[in-house]
Amino acid sequence: MKDRLTDGLYGLGWSTVKKLPEPVAERLGRTIADTVWKRRGKGVLRLESNLARVVPDASPQRLAELSKAGMRSYLRYWMESFRLPSWSRERIADGIDVKDVHHLTDGLAAGKGVVLALPHLGNWDLAGAWVTTKLETPFTTVAERLKPETLYDRFVAYRESLGMEVLPHEGGAAFGTLARRLRAGGLVCLVADRDLSASGVPVKFFGDTARMPAGPALLAQQTGALLLPVTLWYDESPVMKGRVHPPVEVPETGTRIEKTSAMTQALADAFATGIADHPEDWHMLQRLWLADLEPRPDAATRRAGEPS
């Protein structure tokens, strides 16, 4: 029943929100965000806890302001995403202002393949639609399998409608396909600021240890592709902002593990720069740092649905 309800709500969002006038959708998003924020649920409390690491000198009042702005940013992401399939090519092309995009276009022109790695900042779906529309460049990405399966199918269909090739994030098959796309000179885009699996790479992130995926660094090493961090943010305008950071180089010496660790740390450092500048646009409502994942005395009694 819960799975059907979740799938139905997302379906309602894609079918209904995209039909609303933009000012109405914006007001609806802010209203939902403020209502959720006032309830102080687990997701909001986790967001506030994460923001306390990003802005360690923030007062409780400042953290509350940041978490409220963060929920508004998160709902802006959803309102935009629900509406993206109905946007014109011109609206998508004009929807982002990207700094230093030459790192991406020059990399693609070189024909060696490019990996774009992003944190959960701003609206990565809009950024992807901008790449396929403004730059007229298709790309491949991966998506975590969601439950129910019908919801996962909705997300895949939605992203494919925006011009993306979407692979399921499971096993080693996705990595092999991504590597082939890169060796052919293609583009791969990966959200890469959270990986709690056994293969996650430990990094220092805002003063403490977190794990981030090894995939971007490994793909760059194995294929010779350019690895570029990207950060996104909102301001008061309807146009999202973005920056393509300088390439993360493959170290000349060291083992594969050492190289992967150094490159992933460089990605984390670039992500931290963007997140510190725009903490309210970092949509991290789950646990990230290893210290927050340590077992607690009441762990056995915690509800399975708690944000992880």
Side-chain angles (χ1 to χ4, degrees), residues 22 36 54 58-59 61 77 107 180 199 218 243 259 266 269 276:
E22 194 152 336
V36 173
V54 175
S59 66
Q61 180 181 354
Y77 160 78
R180 287 194 294 273
S199 61
L218 288 173
R243 179 189 174 197
K259 291 178 179 180
D269 293 343

Side-chain angles (χ1 to χ4, degrees), residues 96 115-128 131 139-141 187-194 205 212-213 216 227-233 240-245 267-268 270-272 275 282 284:
I96 310 182
V115 180
L116 294 182
L118 306 86
H120 287 80
L121 265 175
N123 189 336
W124 45 97
D125 285 323
L126 173 56
V131 168
F139 67 87
T140 304
T141 188
L187 176 63
V188 165
C189 299
L190 301 170
V191 179
D193 58 344
R194 183 174 185 262
F205 196 56
M212 294 188 182
L227 176 55
L228 298 174
V230 176
T231 52
L232 307 167
W233 67 93
M240 186 171 70
K241 304 301 188 292
R243 179 189 174 197
V244 182
H245 295 251
L267 279 181
F271 294 166
I275 293 167
W282 189 40
M284 186 56 65

Side-chain angles (χ1 to χ4, degrees), residues 170-185:
E170 57 183 21
F175 187 92
T177 302
L178 295 175
R180 287 194 294 273
R181 300 292 184 267
L182 291 169
R183 291 192 180 101

